[in-house]
Amino acid sequence: MPIVQSFGTFQTVQAAVTPALATSPWTAGSGSILGYEGDPHTYAALYRTQPYVRTVVEFLARNIAHLGIHLFRRVSDTDRVRLNGHEVSSWLRRPNPGTTRFRLIESLMQDLGIYFDAYWLKVRQTDRLGLIRLPPESVAVAGGLLPSGYLWTTPNGAQYAFAPSEIVHFSGYNPANPLGGLSPLETLRRIL
């Protein structure tokens, strides 16, 4: 089961390029693997070229995205109260001007199915707060047992560093690295 980590409040995305993260015992996020012939592959390439992987990941993502999302406040160990009209429900209902709730959850499930890691950037818009998906293949996580920072590399090579309070990190289990999940495709790559 994925673990959701969010360490704080929404932030405004900085336009300036920031320096790379400091080195740490672990980093996560490259998404690349080495093929048996020695050629580098990525989990995205396996998803793109393997029809059965794509079918399963998309089937699960579409069906989970159709489910309703409800928010609850814990009252005691055995009781909870459903929150209607909470601010978080509006963030999930309309994460940003270009993304619907369905697409946000669908991409979340696809990222978890391919990488077992997913990232949402918290952004402050002019009239509200929002969430933007960051591609897992372009995010590096630095830290020890907990993330100390995130580095997002854009397609043109610019790098932006974010504090843990600016990212919602959905991380699966990885026995060798506490900062990122172990992709299900890593387990299947001998077969693929």
Side-chain angles (χ1 to χ4, degrees):
M1 170 178 290
I3 299 169
V4 180
Q5 297 177 8
S6 176
F7 294 102
T9 61
F10 284 78
Q11 303 294 321
T12 304
V13 178
Q14 301 292 323
V17 176
T18 55
L21 297 172
T23 58
S24 69
W26 292 291
T27 58
S30 72
S32 58
I33 57 176
L34 197 58
Y36 285 100
E37 298 80 37
D39 3 324
H41 295 286
T42 63
Y43 296 127
L46 289 174
Y47 171 78
R48 188 173 45 253
T49 60
Q50 299 295 321
Y52 295 118
V53 169
R54 184 170 180 166
T55 300
V56 169
V57 169
E58 286 185 2
F59 175 81
L60 288 171
R62 277 192 313 271
N63 284 289
I64 291 171
H66 280 290
L67 299 174
I69 297 176
H70 304 289
L71 301 173
F72 296 91
R73 174 177 289 131
R74 181 178 173 184
V75 176
S76 69
D77 287 343
T78 59
D79 195 16
R80 63 186 182 178
V81 175
R82 185 170 171 182
L83 301 175
N84 294 316
H86 193 273
E87 190 178 15
V88 173
S89 13
S90 70
W91 300 336
L92 292 174
R93 189 172 30 259
R94 189 70 180 167
N96 64 62
T99 307
T100 63
R101 183 202 66 84
F102 179 87
R103 291 288 179 223
L104 183 73
I105 301 302
E106 180 186 41
S107 64
L108 167 70
M109 298 314 301
Q110 288 168 328
D111 288 343
L112 289 173
I114 297 168
Y115 301 97
F116 215 23
D117 271 314
Y119 306 94
W120 290 347
L121 176 62
K122 302 175 196 175
V123 293
R124 190 172 300 282
Q125 300 170 343
T126 54
D127 59 338
R128 60 186 300 275
L129 300 174
L131 300 166
I132 297 175
R133 173 194 172 262
L134 293 178
E137 201 166 79
S138 65
V139 176
V141 183
L145 294 175
L146 291 173
S148 62
Y150 295 87
L151 183 67
W152 173 50
T153 305
T154 64
N156 66 2
Q159 294 184 330
Y160 298 90
F162 297 103
S165 63
E166 299 175 86
I167 299 288
V168 181
H169 181 187
F170 297 85
S171 179
Y173 179 71
N174 184 342
N177 185 348
L179 298 178
L182 178 63
S183 171
L185 299 183
E186 180 63 29
T187 308
L188 294 173
R189 77 180 169 115
R190 288 182 189 260
I191 300 167
L192 299 175

